[in-house]
Amino acid sequence: MRILGLDPGSRHTGYGLIRRRRDRLELLAQGRLSPPRDLDLPARLGWLGVELVGLLDRWQPEVAVLETPFLGLNPRSLVVLAQARGALLGALAAGRVAVREYSPAEIKSAVTGSGRADKTQVARMVALQLPGVPASASGDATDALAVALCYSHRRRIDRLTGSGS
């Protein structure tokens, strides 16, 4: 199963694609989508949607996973984040990709064992669980990979306990 994790943002959107085959995880792709700085917000959102469609066409993930918004952001940041998420969700819907979402605490807990882990701890655990993650990977990319790992771990647990996903 190919799982695409996304860490949305209007300036930088991280992505991480993994494959789970039985008990093995494999890193397929990771990176950051960064629209040109001179674009206004609507153009950046359009750019993100187009770039995501390109990733979907290339990798054909079965599921895409996003972090739910953190409500501690200031109102303007939260609105812009919601708009970026909307552009990504629209592209995923158009590509008929199933979407799942997890809270920041669920993701951190699934990847590190603690819902209060910091970004450094998350990045270190992502690298341990996915050999091949470059040391130079952006924080946006490692966050996106953590989202994908969360889904993979949760899905496996749900299947073992009969909870379904």
Side-chain angles (χ1 to χ4, degrees):
M1 166 175 262
R2 287 179 305 281
I3 305 162
L4 175 64
L6 293 168
D7 180 34
S10 68
R11 294 280 181 201
H12 305 289
T13 290
Y15 68 89
L17 188 82
I18 64 173
R19 177 173 30 214
R20 176 176 275 288
R21 287 188 184 166
R22 295 192 177 105
D23 289 338
R24 292 182 38 118
L25 290 171
E26 177 186 4
L27 172 67
L28 298 177
Q30 59 81 34
R32 185 165 73 173
L33 304 175
S34 299
R37 291 186 153 274
D38 60 338
L39 297 179
D40 63 3
L41 181 60
R44 285 196 317 266
L45 297 176
W47 188 95
L48 285 173
V50 168
E51 291 298 310
L52 180 55
V53 167
L55 284 175
L56 298 178
D57 288 345
R58 179 171 184 204
W59 294 103
Q60 300 179 346
E62 283 86 358
V63 65
V65 192
L66 291 87
E67 182 177 273
T68 57
F70 175 63
L71 299 178
L73 297 172
N74 72 53
R76 167 118 173 87
S77 296
L78 189 57
V79 167
V80 173
L81 175 61
Q83 290 172 323
R85 285 174 47 82
L88 298 171
L89 290 169
L92 293 168
R96 291 184 162 78
V97 177
V99 175
R100 299 292 181 268
E101 298 179 277
Y102 295 106
S103 73
E106 286 176 295
I107 295 164
K108 291 174 182 179
S109 182
V111 174
T112 70
S114 169
R116 294 178 175 242
D118 64 27
K119 283 189 169 284
T120 303
Q121 292 170 309
V122 171
R124 186 173 15 168
M125 291 306 293
V126 165
L128 286 172
Q129 294 176 53
L130 288 171
V133 173
S136 62
S138 72
D140 299 305
T142 56
D143 286 352
L145 287 166
V147 175
L149 285 169
C150 176
Y151 174 81
S152 177
H153 297 331
R154 292 285 300 266
R155 182 172 186 267
R156 186 165 184 235
I157 290 168
D158 289 347
R159 291 179 86 181
L160 289 172
T161 62
S163 302
S165 175

